[in-house]
Amino acid sequence: MPTVVTLSGSPSSRSRSQGLLNHAAGRLAAQGIEIQPFTLADFPADALVFAHFDHPAVQRLHQAVAHADGLVVATPVYKAAYSGALKLLLDLLPERALSHHAVLPLATGGSNAHMLAVDYALQPVLAALKARHIVGGVYGTDQELSWGEDGALQLAPNIAERLEDVLARFIAHLPNPGRAQLDPNALHDRVRIAAISV
Amino acid sequence: MSKKLNVVAVTGSLQRPSRTLALTEAILAQLTEHIPVEIRLIELGEIGPSLAGALRRDQLPVSVAEDIRAIETADLLVVATPVYRASFTGLFKHLFDFVHHEALTNVPVLLAATGGSDRHALVIDHQLRPLFSFFQALTLPVGVYGAEREFSDYRIADDALRARIALAVKRALPLLSHRDAAIPAAVAA
């Protein structure tokens, strides 16, 4: 069974980026993929700030990433870049930590004007960790991600559709995809009409 | 500032009419309202055919070589490009590949770009700014990005964009000076 680690770069638990990440994790889990989630709250401040590689919580992250097939990272866009919170988590990873992984970036921001933060701020950091393959990510604005009355994040149709596409692509790039497929026929059709590339 | 400021503007537009040209002209007009300027406008659409065919400086026609010399001796550069593939155009980069790597040291550069939607606004900070950072130029703090919806009939039709142009120029003014006063002679030579 493929395993995917999720890293949440939001400092708060109720955030759009966390909600988008939860949604993506739920869709992956429904395909039989094991999800191992990590957030800032999983680490004591000392271990985060001084990157204590021997701390048990950091060791758990290292083990999880080392044995995972993929990584999903989510961040709010702060100051036209990824959050410091996400960078603290990424700084805990050893060099070349992602060299065997497919990586899917997710980001949320106040307006469309910061969409390129994914390509020009976040992706270079993932590349520095030697990510084997970075799947084109999803960027959602506050208008496209709203809170429902039940407290769940509502995805605008265009974002939900894009997320399905990139998750299919992400699964196709997992080094050990097992039997997990969102819908092989739908994926094949999209590849055939070049709506997405794998 | 009594002596006119030597301003060279480069617009990456490849055709007329052009939103990028309109944005460039609006920035230049705003500058003109505040300080005496001498303006040279270089349009990539005009010099493109002879520029694209040249790989070395000695292959450039005299007029284009003069344009590059003008860029290398400007007091202020105003550069604007349409967004292609989330970056400046290839021709825009090709032009600056001919500019001497030490000729823009400390030269203020006002960055501007136009794109189809807001989604590419960060080209200013993630593509244009690093290019001029390589030149050790003084990239001005406020750049101007204009989205297609802010133009009508290739003219600026949005007060927010006008306000950004005004702000960019206002923030630029305290940083402008004549090159011979600010730059060592070795670079100007």
Side-chain angles (χ1 to χ4, degrees):
Chain A
M1 183 163 57
T3 305
V4 166
V5 166
T6 66
L7 295 182
S8 172
S10 174
S12 69
S13 58
R14 182 181 152 95
S15 77
R16 288 179 170 83
S17 69
Q18 177 75 60
L20 188 61
L21 181 62
N22 290 347
H23 191 92
R27 296 294 295 138
L28 291 172
Q31 302 301 318
I33 293 172
E34 186 190 335
I35 304 295
Q36 298 205 350
F38 287 88
T39 72
L40 269 192
D42 294 320
F43 304 91
D46 268 17
L48 275 176
V49 174
F50 300 108
H52 287 152
F53 275 28
D54 51 355
H55 191 281
V58 178
Q59 294 272 317
R60 273 195 295 280
L61 174 67
H62 285 181
Q63 289 297 316
V65 171
H67 293 105
D69 305 287
L71 189 79
V72 183
V73 299
T75 181
V77 171
Y78 289 170
K79 309 285 191 285
Y82 44 80
S83 68
L86 179 68
K87 186 63 165 52
L88 280 167
L89 293 178
L90 292 173
D91 288 348
L92 293 177
L93 299 178
E95 280 184 39
R96 314 186 71 86
L98 304 181
S99 55
H100 300 288
H101 302 68
V103 181
L104 171 62
L106 307 174
T108 59
S111 82
N112 274 325
H114 283 164
M115 187 191 74
L116 285 178
V118 178
D119 287 357
Y120 293 139
L122 179 53
Q123 284 209 24
V125 179
L126 301 174
L129 287 160
K130 302 289 182 279
R132 192 188 71 120
H133 186 82
I134 303 170
V135 178
V138 176
Y139 176 85
T141 63
D142 289 356
Q143 293 75 44
E144 292 161 334
L145 303 167
S146 54
W147 296 103
E149 286 180 6
D150 59 351
L153 191 69
Q154 309 286 316
L155 278 60
N158 64 317
I159 294 296
E161 191 180 331
R162 172 145 179 86
L163 187 63
E164 286 298 301
D165 276 355
V166 302
L167 287 173
R169 207 174 345 175
F170 177 64
I171 290 170
H173 277 91
L174 289 177
N176 170 26
R179 289 203 305 277
Q181 294 282 328
L182 277 186
D183 179 345
N185 293 323
L187 178 61
H188 176 75
D189 284 347
R190 287 188 178 128
V191 172
R192 188 172 50 79
I193 63 171
I196 64 171
S197 59
V198 293
Chain B
M1 211 179 288
S2 54
K3 196 178 139 194
K4 285 181 178 177
L5 197 76
N6 174 18
V7 179
V8 174
V10 175
T11 177
S13 48
L14 298 180
Q15 72 272 314
R16 276 177 178 240
S18 148
R19 280 179 282 273
T20 310
L21 179 59
L23 177 58
T24 310
E25 287 177 333
I27 292 167
L28 294 172
Q30 185 71 25
L31 267 171
T32 308
E33 282 190 17
H34 291 278
I35 49 168
V37 288
E38 179 98 31
I39 292 169
R40 181 179 184 126
L41 176 64
I42 301 169
E43 290 183 64
L44 279 173
E46 277 185 11
I47 66 171
S50 50
L51 176 65
L55 295 175
R56 294 192 315 272
R57 201 153 165 161
D58 61 19
Q59 294 170 328
L60 291 167
V62 172
S63 64
V64 178
E66 282 172 358
D67 284 334
I68 289 169
R69 194 70 197 131
I71 290 171
E72 290 172 337
T73 53
D75 294 327
L76 164 68
L77 280 181
V78 175
V79 302
T81 177
V83 174
Y84 283 12
R85 305 287 184 266
S87 185
F88 36 72
T89 69
L91 204 53
F92 182 90
K93 179 64 165 46
H94 192 54
L95 174 67
F96 280 94
D97 286 345
F98 283 109
V99 173
H100 191 274
H101 65 280
E102 288 177 323
L104 303 183
T105 307
N106 285 352
V107 174
V109 183
L110 201 159
L111 309 171
T114 59
S117 79
D118 288 344
R119 290 170 182 270
H120 286 155
L122 284 178
V123 288
I124 299 274
D125 289 324
H126 285 287
Q127 297 290 317
L128 281 169
R129 203 175 290 282
L131 173 62
F132 290 97
S133 179
F134 161 81
F135 282 108
Q136 298 178 34
L138 184 67
T139 59
L140 292 167
V142 181
V144 185
Y145 178 84
E148 200 171 309
R149 62 174 170 76
E150 295 172 313
F151 294 82
S152 171
D153 200 19
Y154 297 96
R155 286 184 203 154
I156 292 172
D158 187 278
D159 284 339
L161 178 54
R162 288 189 193 99
R164 295 205 295 281
I165 292 168
L167 180 69
V169 169
K170 184 182 157 200
R171 294 276 179 83
L173 290 173
L175 301 168
L176 304 181
S177 62
H178 291 284
R179 175 184 279 246
D180 51 5
I183 308 284
V187 176

